[in-house]
Amino acid sequence: MQETVITISRQYGSGGRIIARRLAEELGIPYYDKEIIQKVSQETGMTEYYIRQNEFQTTGSFLFDLYGMTQIMSPPDQVFVAQSKAIKGAAEQGSCVILGRCADYVLEKRRACLKVFVMAPLEERVARARTEYGDEAANLEAYVQRQDRLRASYYSHFVGRRWGDMSNYDLCISTHIGMENAVEIIKRAAMAMEAGIR
């Protein structure tokens, strides 16, 4: 593939990160997740710690600087703007897989962008969080649901849409059908999109 970018949004514990990595490997294209943080750090001078602390926070749109009598962007807004720029830059380099960070919205005007939402039944997500992610919260089901609420809040704040709404994506897929099957379906959809734009 040379042009199609695949964005992966996902419910917590659905295995979306695993799918994103496998897709990139099988298609032989770059994968961006924490790499976006590194790119933002290099391009802005923000530390990776600062970016991680602010990348999923939400505040009012702007803070008011009483001393300078000007509006300034809050740290979460600064990080979102910088990450959006890094995502667009990565997409301009050619085909890649980008995980999370509202990439589906950031790249919505890109013709060759396959926007995917990965989900799974709650019990499977809880089991994956325990066995694969090593989460040890006392009430793991509540923890998984809280992570989804945080993602939904972040998406709503910056995008103004409902996170997980199927109308925001080209393909919604459940890993209940099996991880390998999910990877294969997304891969075929990406290749079909690539063929269609030639």
Side-chain angles (χ1 to χ4, degrees):
M1 293 202 328
Q2 296 179 342
E3 297 182 56
T4 301
V5 173
I6 305 168
T7 66
I8 304 286
S9 303
R10 78 282 187 210
Q11 290 181 317
Y12 188 83
S14 65
R17 177 175 277 117
I18 297 165
I19 284 175
R21 279 198 198 113
R22 288 186 189 170
L23 273 170
E25 288 170 7
E26 292 189 20
L27 292 169
I29 59 178
Y31 165 74
Y32 296 100
D33 177 10
K34 294 180 176 68
E35 293 78 4
I36 295 294
I37 294 174
Q38 294 163 358
K39 285 173 74 70
V40 169
S41 180
Q42 292 165 2
E43 293 170 7
T44 66
M46 296 177 192
T47 66
E48 291 186 23
Y49 176 78
Y50 178 87
I51 295 165
R52 285 192 192 95
Q53 290 298 109
N54 288 285
E55 71 171 338
F56 295 115
Q57 302 297 318
T58 59
T59 64
S61 187
F62 287 96
L63 299 176
F64 196 74
D65 180 357
L66 293 175
Y67 298 101
M69 299 303 286
T70 58
Q71 284 187 330
I72 58 172
M73 281 195 289
S74 68
D77 290 338
Q78 291 173 20
V79 169
F80 179 78
V81 169
Q83 285 190 339
S84 296
K85 183 179 177 185
I87 287 167
K88 288 177 181 176
E92 286 170 7
Q93 300 300 311
S95 290
C96 60
V97 177
I98 303 175
L99 184 70
R101 295 176 176 83
C102 303
D104 58 290
Y105 169 75
V106 172
L107 299 176
E108 72 173 349
K109 290 186 169 48
R110 182 184 174 89
R111 184 169 167 239
C113 181
L114 180 67
K115 298 175 286 295
V116 179
F117 188 82
V118 178
M119 57 197 161
L122 180 60
E123 60 272 16
E124 291 179 21
R125 296 192 291 127
V126 169
R128 185 172 286 114
R130 179 180 294 111
T131 59
E132 295 180 31
Y133 303 174
D135 290 333
E136 298 177 352
N139 185 339
L140 203 48
E141 182 173 310
Y143 176 78
V144 167
Q145 291 174 320
R146 180 173 179 270
Q147 298 310 304
D148 281 351
R149 285 195 301 275
L150 290 172
R151 289 178 181 181
S153 175
Y154 179 82
Y155 192 84
S156 174
H157 175 79
F158 286 108
V159 176
R161 298 176 186 164
R162 191 164 66 87
W163 177 78
D165 183 336
M166 64 181 179
S167 65
N168 297 330
Y169 311 96
D170 300 307
L171 178 64
C172 296
I173 191 161
S174 174
T175 53
H176 184 65
I177 67 170
M179 299 289 275
E180 294 304 324
N181 289 333
V183 169
E184 187 61 27
I185 289 168
I186 298 169
K187 186 168 70 171
R188 288 186 183 185
M191 293 173 76
M193 177 175 276
E194 180 85 5
I197 61 174
R198 287 181 185 160

